Structure formats: structure tokens, C-alpha cells
Amino acid sequence: MAEIGQDIAKAKALLESGGLVGIPTETVYGLAANALDPMAVAAIFEAKNRPSFDPLIIHTDSLEKVAQWVEYIPDQLKTLADVFWPGPLTLLLPKKAIIPDLVTSGLDRVAVRIPSHSLTLSLLQQLDFPLAAPSANPFGYISPTRADHVQKQLGQKIPYILDGGSCQVGLESTILGVEGDEIVVYRLGGLELHALEAMVGAVKVKTHSSSNPSAPGLLESHYAPRKPFYVGKLQELVPSFLEAGKKIGVLSLIENFNQVSQDLQIQLSLSGDLKEAAAGLFASMRRLDEAEVELIVAEWMPEHGLGPAMNDRLKRAAAQG
Ligand code: TXA
Ligand code: MG
């Protein structure tokens, strides 16, 4: 099993020698390695069982360092970086040759993010290379939001997990790039669209290219529990599965069902707060996936704030195979 702790010097030494370390961010935990070392990056793909056509995000701690890894930052994106970094925002930027092709799956843009987590920022400040870090889960499964989630699934394959507590945001970063003059959103995530649009005006959302092999984060089935997972109207789903004699787990925003045992249902936020709901979403999906149930039913979130990003994850979790 991996050692879990808060020893930045230890994490740094492992990363400098080409090793893998689980790191906390405000979105989800990452599985990190030296992004400039192709062997270290290859070890990420192997540990995650991740297809090599799925490019990785690189993480660093300052715009000065970003300038070392990318050719330039388009003006519109620079405005967003100034406002939202450190934070749950990933920008696709033209890469310099120093970034190995394995990181970008041969694409000419590299995904870059400055995460907002004090422990990881301190680590990044002490490194002279960026960290390539996908979410620290086996490919296709739910992303981890606590150190013990990483331990459970990748603990056999990595020496160390930096423990930064529960992720505050709980959804992966929002991914943006520019196409011509337009800002394009490739993945809905922890940074709300209206916050972006308040800064730069309307953006184009292009998250449905499920056939696009360059971005499996957009594959139809992803972020998925192992148990059958249904999303719809709980008022209909719950009684119909109960009548069919099924043992179900229920994931709702607020609603509670008397017919279902309390420990097999989770309300994401009793006050209907979508930030609170997002922060608990993945841990709740995991808990129900591990519970004594045959299947899980969940409901769609309201279409505002982080609702659309949560619905994106629920939809992919429900898509089978
Ligand atoms: O919040 C996050 O973004 C977390 C934390 C650890 O930073 N990371 C994360 O990484 O979610 P990952 O690998 O699970 O998802 C990254 C997704 C890829 O699946 C791909 O869709 C997209 O980012 N991506 C990365 N580089 C890209 C590129 N050069 N062009 C297009 N899409 C890219
Ligand atoms: Mg992922």
C-alpha cells in the first residue's frame, strides 16, 4: 500500500526521481509525475490503465512558469488566467517542444492548470518542472476526492499519497481553449460558466464530441460506478425498482424516501446548495457503489451554477460501456 502523509520533501524527492505521487487539488486528487520526463509520464498511463490517446493536464504554480512550457497565452485566455488561477480552470495552450508528445497525445496544445490547494502549491513551488496529473482513479471510474479513495484504487501501484483532506470543489476543472476568436469549453467543470461569461462574454460549449478520441474525458461512458446507475425522476424510479424487488441506493439533492433504508440514500445538500452537492457527489457515488445495493438511482440537478457540470458527470456515469 502507499504511504499517506503531508511530507512535501518526500513527495518532491519521489517526483524528482521519476516516481508517481497522489496529490490533492481543490477539484479531485491527481496522479502526478514529472511532465518533462517521458518515462515518468508513461508510468502514469500504466498505473491508471489509461489509453495513450488521452492527453494529460500539466500543473504548475505561476504564470512565469507557464511561460516556460507554452508558446503564448491568447489574450482572452490570459484574462481568465489572471482572474481564476489558482483555481478549477484548465487552458489548452500551444505547447513548446520541451513538453513530451506523450503528455499531449501528439496534439499541439497542452492542457495547463494552476490548482488552488496550499499543500500542492507549496510542492509545485519547489519543483522546476510541471506535474502531469490526471485524476487518480483507474480509467473510466469515479474520480477520487479523498486520499483514501486514491489508496483504495491505486495504493498498490504508487509509493506515496499527499493527504490534503477532502477536495473543496469536488468536480474536475473546466477545460477551455480558443478556436479562431471564440472561447470554447471542452469540459464543464468546477468553474461555473456564468463566472467565465461575466468576464469574457458568451462562450461556445463543445462537450458532446463523444467520438473525439483526443478527449476521452468526453467519452459517453466515463466517471462510472460499477453498479448499474440510473438518472431520472426519483418519484418514478424509486417506487418502480422497489416494486420490482430491487435493493437500491438513492442519490438525491434534497429528497428523502421513507421506503428506503436511511443508510442506503444520500442527500447531497439539504439546503439545495449546488456547491455543497458538487463537493460530495463523487464520494457519495462511491459510497453507494460499495454499499449492499444492486443498483443506484440518482436525479438530475437544477440547470444553474454547478448543476450542468454535475449533470454531465451523472449522464456519463449512467451510460453503460
Ligand atoms: O481537475 C482536474 O482537471 C483534474 C485535477 C487532477 O487537476 N485532472 C483531470 O485530469 O481531470 P484527467 O486526465 O482526468 O482529465 C483531463 C482531460 C482529458 O481526458 C482530456 O479530455 C482533456 O483533459 N485534455 C487534456 N489535454 C488535452 C489536450 N491537449 N487537448 C484536448 N483535451 C485535452
Ligand atoms: Mg479523469
Side-chain angles (χ1 to χ4, degrees), residues 30-52:
L31 177 63
N34 178 354
L36 305 185
D37 175 350
M39 293 300 288
V41 174
I44 294 179
F45 285 93
E46 197 180 313
K48 268 193 67 118
N49 229 336
R50 179 177 174 118
S52 63

mmCIF file of all heavy atoms in Angstrom, residues 30-52:
data_model
loop_
_atom_site.group_PDB
_atom_site.id
_atom_site.type_symbol
_atom_site.label_atom_id
_atom_site.label_comp_id
_atom_site.label_asym_id
_atom_site.label_seq_id
_atom_site.Cartn_x
_atom_site.Cartn_y
_atom_site.Cartn_z
ATOM 1 N N GLY A 30 -5.025 14.094 -7.957
ATOM 2 C CA GLY A 30 -4.323 13.775 -9.185
ATOM 3 C C GLY A 30 -3.265 12.701 -8.958
ATOM 4 O O GLY A 30 -2.803 12.487 -7.830
ATOM 5 N N LEU A 31 -2.904 12.004 -10.048
ATOM 6 C CA LEU A 31 -1.806 11.036 -10.011
ATOM 7 C C LEU A 31 -0.646 11.694 -10.747
ATOM 8 O O LEU A 31 -0.645 11.777 -11.970
ATOM 9 C CB LEU A 31 -2.228 9.744 -10.702
ATOM 10 C CG LEU A 31 -1.153 8.660 -10.812
ATOM 11 C CD1 LEU A 31 -0.718 8.199 -9.434
ATOM 12 C CD2 LEU A 31 -1.683 7.482 -11.620
ATOM 13 N N ALA A 32 0.331 12.203 -9.979
ATOM 14 C CA ALA A 32 1.312 13.123 -10.548
ATOM 15 C C ALA A 32 2.662 12.492 -10.862
ATOM 16 O O ALA A 32 3.114 11.575 -10.166
ATOM 17 C CB ALA A 32 1.519 14.295 -9.586
ATOM 18 N N ALA A 33 3.286 13.038 -11.917
ATOM 19 C CA ALA A 33 4.669 12.694 -12.264
ATOM 20 C C ALA A 33 5.292 13.883 -12.980
ATOM 21 O O ALA A 33 4.570 14.779 -13.435
ATOM 22 C CB ALA A 33 4.703 11.466 -13.177
ATOM 23 N N ASN A 34 6.616 13.870 -13.076
ATOM 24 C CA ASN A 34 7.349 14.909 -13.807
ATOM 25 C C ASN A 34 6.909 14.926 -15.268
ATOM 26 O O ASN A 34 7.183 13.989 -16.017
ATOM 27 C CB ASN A 34 8.850 14.619 -13.704
ATOM 28 C CG ASN A 34 9.702 15.614 -14.483
ATOM 29 O OD1 ASN A 34 9.181 16.471 -15.199
ATOM 30 N ND2 ASN A 34 11.012 15.497 -14.317
ATOM 31 N N ALA A 35 6.258 16.022 -15.676
ATOM 32 C CA ALA A 35 5.703 16.102 -17.032
ATOM 33 C C ALA A 35 6.785 16.166 -18.102
ATOM 34 O O ALA A 35 6.515 15.923 -19.275
ATOM 35 C CB ALA A 35 4.791 17.317 -17.156
ATOM 36 N N LEU A 36 8.025 16.489 -17.713
ATOM 37 C CA LEU A 36 9.095 16.610 -18.715
ATOM 38 C C LEU A 36 9.853 15.303 -18.899
ATOM 39 O O LEU A 36 10.766 15.217 -19.722
ATOM 40 C CB LEU A 36 10.068 17.732 -18.309
ATOM 41 C CG LEU A 36 9.432 19.104 -18.053
ATOM 42 C CD1 LEU A 36 10.497 20.154 -17.770
ATOM 43 C CD2 LEU A 36 8.556 19.525 -19.238
ATOM 44 N N ASP A 37 9.483 14.291 -18.117
ATOM 45 C CA ASP A 37 10.182 13.009 -18.152
ATOM 46 C C ASP A 37 9.252 11.945 -18.765
ATOM 47 O O ASP A 37 8.334 11.446 -18.102
ATOM 48 C CB ASP A 37 10.561 12.634 -16.707
ATOM 49 C CG ASP A 37 11.190 11.251 -16.601
ATOM 50 O OD1 ASP A 37 11.173 10.486 -17.584
ATOM 51 O OD2 ASP A 37 11.679 10.930 -15.501
ATOM 52 N N PRO A 38 9.472 11.602 -20.051
ATOM 53 C CA PRO A 38 8.549 10.675 -20.730
ATOM 54 C C PRO A 38 8.391 9.333 -20.011
ATOM 55 O O PRO A 38 7.299 8.763 -20.016
ATOM 56 C CB PRO A 38 9.187 10.477 -22.111
ATOM 57 C CG PRO A 38 10.035 11.684 -22.315
ATOM 58 C CD PRO A 38 10.536 12.080 -20.956
ATOM 59 N N MET A 39 9.447 8.826 -19.368
ATOM 60 C CA MET A 39 9.316 7.548 -18.653
ATOM 61 C C MET A 39 8.363 7.692 -17.472
ATOM 62 O O MET A 39 7.552 6.799 -17.193
ATOM 63 C CB MET A 39 10.689 7.081 -18.134
ATOM 64 C CG MET A 39 11.677 6.701 -19.228
ATOM 65 S SD MET A 39 11.061 5.355 -20.249
ATOM 66 C CE MET A 39 11.218 4.000 -19.079
ATOM 67 N N ALA A 40 8.482 8.801 -16.762
ATOM 68 C CA ALA A 40 7.599 9.044 -15.608
ATOM 69 C C ALA A 40 6.156 9.200 -16.078
ATOM 70 O O ALA A 40 5.223 8.676 -15.462
ATOM 71 C CB ALA A 40 8.065 10.301 -14.858
ATOM 72 N N VAL A 41 5.976 9.898 -17.205
ATOM 73 C CA VAL A 41 4.628 10.090 -17.743
ATOM 74 C C VAL A 41 4.046 8.746 -18.189
ATOM 75 O O VAL A 41 2.869 8.443 -17.949
ATOM 76 C CB VAL A 41 4.651 11.107 -18.917
ATOM 77 C CG1 VAL A 41 3.282 11.194 -19.579
ATOM 78 C CG2 VAL A 41 5.102 12.479 -18.422
ATOM 79 N N ALA A 42 4.894 7.906 -18.798
ATOM 80 C CA ALA A 42 4.421 6.586 -19.236
ATOM 81 C C ALA A 42 3.928 5.770 -18.043
ATOM 82 O O ALA A 42 2.951 5.015 -18.146
ATOM 83 C CB ALA A 42 5.542 5.845 -19.965
ATOM 84 N N ALA A 43 4.585 5.954 -16.893
ATOM 85 C CA ALA A 43 4.173 5.208 -15.690
ATOM 86 C C ALA A 43 2.768 5.620 -15.232
ATOM 87 O O ALA A 43 2.024 4.808 -14.676
ATOM 88 C CB ALA A 43 5.192 5.426 -14.569
ATOM 89 N N ILE A 44 2.383 6.871 -15.480
ATOM 90 C CA ILE A 44 1.013 7.305 -15.140
ATOM 91 C C ILE A 44 0.005 6.504 -15.962
ATOM 92 O O ILE A 44 -0.974 5.971 -15.426
ATOM 93 C CB ILE A 44 0.803 8.812 -15.462
ATOM 94 C CG1 ILE A 44 1.648 9.712 -14.572
ATOM 95 C CG2 ILE A 44 -0.680 9.167 -15.319
ATOM 96 C CD1 ILE A 44 1.480 11.211 -14.878
ATOM 97 N N PHE A 45 0.255 6.435 -17.282
ATOM 98 C CA PHE A 45 -0.676 5.723 -18.162
ATOM 99 C C PHE A 45 -0.808 4.270 -17.734
ATOM 100 O O PHE A 45 -1.897 3.693 -17.721
ATOM 101 C CB PHE A 45 -0.216 5.813 -19.623
ATOM 102 C CG PHE A 45 -0.463 7.162 -20.243
ATOM 103 C CD1 PHE A 45 0.509 8.149 -20.226
ATOM 104 C CD2 PHE A 45 -1.689 7.446 -20.831
ATOM 105 C CE1 PHE A 45 0.277 9.398 -20.805
ATOM 106 C CE2 PHE A 45 -1.934 8.694 -21.408
ATOM 107 C CZ PHE A 45 -0.939 9.670 -21.385
ATOM 108 N N GLU A 46 0.326 3.688 -17.343
ATOM 109 C CA GLU A 46 0.312 2.284 -16.958
ATOM 110 C C GLU A 46 -0.465 2.073 -15.663
ATOM 111 O O GLU A 46 -1.312 1.188 -15.566
ATOM 112 C CB GLU A 46 1.750 1.802 -16.801
ATOM 113 C CG GLU A 46 1.859 0.302 -16.801
ATOM 114 C CD GLU A 46 3.306 -0.132 -16.642
ATOM 115 O OE1 GLU A 46 4.165 0.420 -17.354
ATOM 116 O OE2 GLU A 46 3.549 -1.015 -15.795
ATOM 117 N N ALA A 47 -0.196 2.918 -14.655
ATOM 118 C CA ALA A 47 -0.868 2.750 -13.358
ATOM 119 C C ALA A 47 -2.376 2.927 -13.485
ATOM 120 O O ALA A 47 -3.155 2.267 -12.810
ATOM 121 C CB ALA A 47 -0.296 3.751 -12.343
ATOM 122 N N LYS A 48 -2.795 3.832 -14.345
ATOM 123 C CA LYS A 48 -4.230 4.125 -14.488
ATOM 124 C C LYS A 48 -4.922 3.219 -15.478
ATOM 125 O O LYS A 48 -6.146 3.257 -15.595
ATOM 126 C CB LYS A 48 -4.412 5.556 -15.026
ATOM 127 C CG LYS A 48 -4.557 6.598 -13.972
ATOM 128 C CD LYS A 48 -5.042 7.914 -14.579
ATOM 129 C CE LYS A 48 -6.442 7.878 -15.122
ATOM 130 N NZ LYS A 48 -7.383 8.769 -14.497
ATOM 131 N N ASN A 49 -4.113 2.468 -16.249
ATOM 132 C CA ASN A 49 -4.694 1.691 -17.328
ATOM 133 C C ASN A 49 -5.354 2.612 -18.346
ATOM 134 O O ASN A 49 -6.450 2.339 -18.826
ATOM 135 C CB ASN A 49 -5.757 0.752 -16.762
ATOM 136 C CG ASN A 49 -5.554 -0.632 -17.263
ATOM 137 O OD1 ASN A 49 -4.948 -0.808 -18.322
ATOM 138 N ND2 ASN A 49 -6.057 -1.598 -16.520
ATOM 139 N N ARG A 50 -4.678 3.697 -18.602
ATOM 140 C CA ARG A 50 -5.258 4.753 -19.430
ATOM 141 C C ARG A 50 -4.746 4.642 -20.852
ATOM 142 O O ARG A 50 -3.560 4.477 -21.077
ATOM 143 C CB ARG A 50 -4.862 6.098 -18.827
ATOM 144 C CG ARG A 50 -5.352 7.357 -19.558
ATOM 145 C CD ARG A 50 -4.913 8.561 -18.745
ATOM 146 N NE ARG A 50 -5.166 9.829 -19.349
ATOM 147 C CZ ARG A 50 -5.975 10.759 -18.821
ATOM 148 N NH1 ARG A 50 -6.641 10.518 -17.708
ATOM 149 N NH2 ARG A 50 -6.111 11.921 -19.402
ATOM 150 N N PRO A 51 -5.644 4.740 -21.848
ATOM 151 C CA PRO A 51 -5.174 4.685 -23.235
ATOM 152 C C PRO A 51 -4.288 5.889 -23.533
ATOM 153 O O PRO A 51 -4.552 6.992 -23.051
ATOM 154 C CB PRO A 51 -6.459 4.747 -24.060
ATOM 155 C CG PRO A 51 -7.517 5.249 -23.160
ATOM 156 C CD PRO A 51 -7.100 4.937 -21.749
ATOM 157 N N SER A 52 -3.239 5.687 -24.317
ATOM 158 C CA SER A 52 -2.256 6.758 -24.511
ATOM 159 C C SER A 52 -2.778 7.855 -25.421
ATOM 160 O O SER A 52 -2.124 8.879 -25.597
ATOM 161 C CB SER A 52 -0.952 6.193 -25.052
ATOM 162 O OG SER A 52 -1.217 5.630 -26.315
#
